[in-house]
């Protein structure tokens, strides 16, 4: 009889030398790299590379953070030094479009590459027609005049633009490289299929699916802005995720190596299709990092994936740190990754509700430090609007993209059928935006936002054990409610006269509202100014001349508009509206006074 086989002790796995880059360390590395790129100080590239090499060799996270900062600063300085403005000169030669042309009141505008330089091309007259018919990646033969960019134009920096090219003549040269030709054929296929959709659904479809926000009416854009849903009008990170879900039945059948190659190819193709918007770059980099980590047998957390993706992108293009769109995309992702799980765990209710609300709250808190200083506030209604609209907007991509292919291939009859669900989905999201935009809750400023965050975090952290804890929790929620309602309360008692954007003045007294167009304005500026002024209706609209039809349509989209008076079309008169008296004089003069008893 033999005894049991002897068991030999298995030696423990050797400990890795040096430290390990934790999730927190990866986040610090990304922040240090971005800070270095923003600073762009005089750091020798060789020294930065040596520090990074030593950090990798010694497996030192602290040294790696230092190396990331130095490398970001060195590469950032090189990128900024490459922005030397062009000298005024004549130009004749080929250019490659880097984006899709946008029509403006002054012509057609698009970023182009001429040789090694990036320029902002402006075309008017006959040249504008040739430019407007082209798409990104295509090449044009252009004649015109070069001039340096404006002295203070920070929006041109992340685009690497070093000059402006005023085109006097333009003609098509060719369709560009093969990837861009394929992407443009696909976009035109989706465009043919979308012709079955009515406006503005058609232009919104282009934004939801392809990130093409051209042609969207200003009143609809303002609806989304007022509802805090602007991120849905362009391609965002969630579109990349939905596309990967669409192709997953095919990629999941492949082996690991083939799955990795197919996934990366899909990510790259979608990037070309959507013009590598900053949010798509961020999401694409995250997806590439995640699939690579999975292939290597080392799945990565969301925080680490985001941090490594941001680090890589900033090192490739240090000027990305100056892009507001990139900042918002990273901030939203960081909020979801860091705050989302904690908020979901602390909330009560069904899981689907906690996840929907928790992710929305986390994303809004993430973008707040970027959004509020730049744009002045965050719509109070945005959390509810996002909960109602975001899940449906995801269905627009998952259904609308394959349906668009079928519609484009099948013709108008097929397109009308397969795009019916697309129309209903987009109609829901647009309806949420319009209703939310009309709710007079105002916007949270920096102080109110801090109060909401502190009180809300306290309420979630306290729990409900003990009478004292419950009382403190209810008190914290009361503070949150008061802070959220404060902007709406301030809009209930507005001043009698208030400027509402460039060229727009609002007069209110005795329950009446008079809007005077005192200068040139745009529908977008007027809508935003009147909304921020808390306007609920327009009893009388006074304009120096007949108001712009687009402006009048935009105002009537949002509010009831009563009488419209064009000063150059009427004789001097006095009009009483509620508690206000409007007197018109010769020319384009108008005076608004409070009426007597």
């Amino acid at each position: 009889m033999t005894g049991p086989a002897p068991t030999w002790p298995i030696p423990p796995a050797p400990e890795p030398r040096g430290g390990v880059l934790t999730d927190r360390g990866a986040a610090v590395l990304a922040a240090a790299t971005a800070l270095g790129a923003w600073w762009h100080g005089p750091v020798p590239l060789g020294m930065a590379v040596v520090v990074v090499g030593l950090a990798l060799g010694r497996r030192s996270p602290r040294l790696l953070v230092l190396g990331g900062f130095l490398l970001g600063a060195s590469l950032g300085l090189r990128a900024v030094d490459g922005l030397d403005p062009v000298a005024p000169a004549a130009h004749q030669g080929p250019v490659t479009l880097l984006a899709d042309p946008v029509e403006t009141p002054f012509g057609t505008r698009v970023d182009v590459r001429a040789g090694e330089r990036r320029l902002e091309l402006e075309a008017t007259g006959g040249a504008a027609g040739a430019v407007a018919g082209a798409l990104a990646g295509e090449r044009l033969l252009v004649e015109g005049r070069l001039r340096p960019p404006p002295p203070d134009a920070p929006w041109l920096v992340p685009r690497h633009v070093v000059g402006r090219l005023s085109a006097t003549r333009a003609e098509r040269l060719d369709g560009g490289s093969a990837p861009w030709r394929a992407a443009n054929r696909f976009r035109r296929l989706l465009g043919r299929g979308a012709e079955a959709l009515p406006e503005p659904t058609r232009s919104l479809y282009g934004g939801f699916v392809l990130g093409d926000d051209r042609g969207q009416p200003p009143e609809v854009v303002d609806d989304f802005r007022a509802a805090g849903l602007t991120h849905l009008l362009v391609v965002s990170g969630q579109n990349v995720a939905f596309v990967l879900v669409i192709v997953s039945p095919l990629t999941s059948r492949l082996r690991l190596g083939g799955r990795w190659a197919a996934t990366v190819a899909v990510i790259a193709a979608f990037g070309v299709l959507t013009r590598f918007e900053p949010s798509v770059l961020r999401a694409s980099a995250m997806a590439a990092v995640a699939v690579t980590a999975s292939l290597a047998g080392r799945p990565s957390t969301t925080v680490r994936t985001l941090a490594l993706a941001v680090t890589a992108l900033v090192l490739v293009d240090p000027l990305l740190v100056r892009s507001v769109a990139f900042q918002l995309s990273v901030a939203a992702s960081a909020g979801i990754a860091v705050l989302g799980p904690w908020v979901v765990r602390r909330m009560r209710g069904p899981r689907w509700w906690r996840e929907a609300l928790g992710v929305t709250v986390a994303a809004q808190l993430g973008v707040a430090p970027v959004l509020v200083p730049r744009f002045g506030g965050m719509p109070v209604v945005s959390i509810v609007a996002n909960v109602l609209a975001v899940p449906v907007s995801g269905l627009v991509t998952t259904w609308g993209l394959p349906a668009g292919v079928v519609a484009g291939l099948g013709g108008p009859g097929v397109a009308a059928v397969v795009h019916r669900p697309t129309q209903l989905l987009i109609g829901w999201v647009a309806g949420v935006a319009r209703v939310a935009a009309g709710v007079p809750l105002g916007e949270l400023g920096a102080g109110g936002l801090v109060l909401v965050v502190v009180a809300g975090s306290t309420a979630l952290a306290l729990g409900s054990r003990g009478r004292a804890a419950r009382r403190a929790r209810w008190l914290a929620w009361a503070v949150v409610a008061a802070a959220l309602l404060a902007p709406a309360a301030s809009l209930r008692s507005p001043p009698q006269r208030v400027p509402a954007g460039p060229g727009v003045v609002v007069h209110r007294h005795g329950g009446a509202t008079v809007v005077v167009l005192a200068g040139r304005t745009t529908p977008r500026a007027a809508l935003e100014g009147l909304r921020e002024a808390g306007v609920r209706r327009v009893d009388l609209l006074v304009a120096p001349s007949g108001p712009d039809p687009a402006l009048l349509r935009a105002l009537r989209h949002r509010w009831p508009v009563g009488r419209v008076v064009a000063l150059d079309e009427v004789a001097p008169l006095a009009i009483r509206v509620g508690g206000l008296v409007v007197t018109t004089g010769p020319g384009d003069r108008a005076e608004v006074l409070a009426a007597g008893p």
Side-chain angles (χ1 to χ4, degrees):
M1 182 175 179
T2 59
T7 57
W8 302 98
I10 300 176
E15 293 288 339
R17 295 189 307 167
V20 177
L21 187 66
T22 62
D23 290 356
R24 182 179 298 178
V28 174
L29 171 63
T33 306
L35 181 61
W38 185 276
W39 174 56
H40 62 278
V43 177
L45 181 60
M47 183 183 75
V49 171
V50 168
V51 173
V52 172
L54 288 175
L56 296 175
R58 297 183 178 182
R59 301 177 64 91
S60 171
R62 293 183 179 179
L63 194 58
L64 184 60
V65 169
L66 175 62
F69 174 80
L70 297 176
L71 193 57
S74 179
L75 295 176
L77 182 61
R78 291 189 169 208
V80 172
D81 287 344
L83 295 178
D84 290 337
V86 299
H91 173 87
Q92 180 177 3
V95 299
T96 302
L97 273 66
L98 300 176
D100 297 320
V102 177
E103 295 186 18
T104 71
F106 312 103
T108 303
R109 183 173 296 172
V110 63
D111 288 356
V112 300
R113 184 177 64 248
E116 298 299 324
R117 300 176 301 188
R118 291 193 178 192
L119 308 169
E120 186 179 62
L121 184 147
E122 299 172 329
T124 56
V131 175
L135 291 176
E138 297 180 347
R139 298 203 307 159
L140 302 175
L141 188 63
V142 175
E143 293 182 10
R145 188 77 184 174
L146 284 173
R147 68 181 191 274
D152 185 19
W155 60 90
L156 297 178
V157 172
R159 291 153 50 188
H160 297 259
V161 170
V162 297
R164 285 181 169 172
L165 172 58
S166 298
T168 56
R169 178 174 173 270
E171 63 182 50
R172 178 182 170 85
L173 190 59
D174 57 52
S177 60
W180 288 105
R181 292 199 303 271
N184 290 334
R185 282 197 294 268
F186 190 78
R187 288 176 71 100
R188 289 186 171 108
L189 174 67
L190 295 181
R192 287 198 301 272
E195 291 177 357
L197 296 170
E199 287 292 356
T201 305
R202 186 189 312 166
S203 57
L204 289 175
Y205 171 82
F208 279 111
V209 176
L210 297 173
D212 186 356
D213 58 353
R214 300 175 299 170
Q216 293 173 350
E219 60 269 23
V220 175
V221 174
D222 190 73
D223 283 346
F224 279 76
R225 181 176 294 109
L229 298 174
T230 310
H231 58 97
L232 300 182
L233 291 176
V234 295
V235 169
S236 62
Q238 74 169 357
N239 296 76
V240 178
F242 287 130
V243 168
L244 293 178
V245 169
I246 292 173
V247 302
S248 61
L250 300 176
T251 57
S252 61
R253 297 177 181 271
L254 303 175
R255 294 184 178 182
L256 287 179
R259 188 183 306 170
W260 178 87
T263 302
V264 172
V266 169
I267 294 170
F270 189 71
V272 175
L273 185 66
T274 55
R275 312 321 197 195
F276 291 106
E277 291 291 329
S279 58
V280 175
L281 276 177
R282 189 271 311 159
S284 299
M286 287 186 66
V289 169
V291 70
T292 303
S294 298
L295 179 66
R298 301 182 63 180
S300 178
T301 64
T302 305
V303 172
R304 180 186 293 267
T305 301
L306 174 63
L308 296 179
V310 170
T311 301
L313 288 174
V314 171
L315 291 179
V316 171
D317 183 5
L319 297 184
L320 269 177
V321 298
R322 302 176 185 276
S323 167
V324 177
F326 182 72
Q327 295 170 11
L328 289 171
S329 179
V330 173
S333 300
I336 293 172
V338 177
L339 301 176
W342 183 83
V343 175
V344 171
R345 285 195 307 269
R346 295 286 179 174
M347 292 182 64
R348 296 180 178 181
R351 183 171 181 81
W352 66 268
W353 165 256
R354 290 188 289 114
E355 288 184 349
L357 187 58
V359 169
T360 299
V361 170
Q364 295 295 312
L365 292 178
V367 301
V370 180
L371 191 68
V372 173
R374 289 183 177 270
F375 301 102
M378 177 177 292
V380 174
V381 76
S382 62
I383 293 179
V384 176
N386 274 271
V387 170
L388 294 175
V390 169
V392 179
S393 71
L395 296 177
V396 175
T397 300
T398 53
W399 173 264
L401 188 58
V405 176
V406 175
L409 295 174
V414 175
V417 175
V418 299
H419 265 325
R420 183 58 180 167
T422 309
Q423 183 176 348
L424 293 175
L425 293 170
I426 294 178
W428 169 267
V429 179
V432 170
R434 182 171 184 176
V435 172
V439 178
L441 293 181
E443 296 184 347
L444 275 177
L449 186 62
V450 170
L451 190 60
V452 168
V453 171
V454 173
S457 301
T458 303
L460 291 174
L462 281 173
S464 58
R465 290 187 177 182
R467 179 178 298 179
R470 286 195 297 270
R471 288 180 177 176
R473 189 167 183 261
W474 281 112
L475 178 61
W477 283 126
V479 172
V480 171
L484 292 176
L485 293 175
S490 65
L491 293 178
R492 299 291 295 180
S493 55
Q496 181 174 330
R497 181 185 185 279
V498 58
V504 181
V505 180
V506 177
H507 300 266
R508 280 174 287 207
H509 186 67
T513 302
V514 174
V515 175
V516 178
L517 303 181
R520 186 172 182 176
T521 188
T522 63
R524 175 178 174 177
L527 285 172
E528 184 175 357
L530 294 175
R531 171 168 48 81
E532 292 178 352
V535 168
R536 304 287 298 275
R537 69 180 189 276
V538 179
D539 298 297
L540 176 65
L541 176 65
V542 182
S545 57
D548 178 15
L551 174 59
L552 191 57
R553 184 187 69 243
L555 295 179
R556 285 177 169 160
H557 168 86
R558 176 64 55 77
W559 303 286
V561 178
R563 184 176 177 180
V564 179
V565 174
L567 298 179
D568 61 350
E569 298 177 359
V570 299
L573 50 77
I575 308 172
R576 179 161 183 157
V577 184
L580 295 170
V581 173
V582 182
T583 58
T584 66
D588 58 355
R589 294 177 55 191
E591 187 175 5
V592 184
L593 299 173

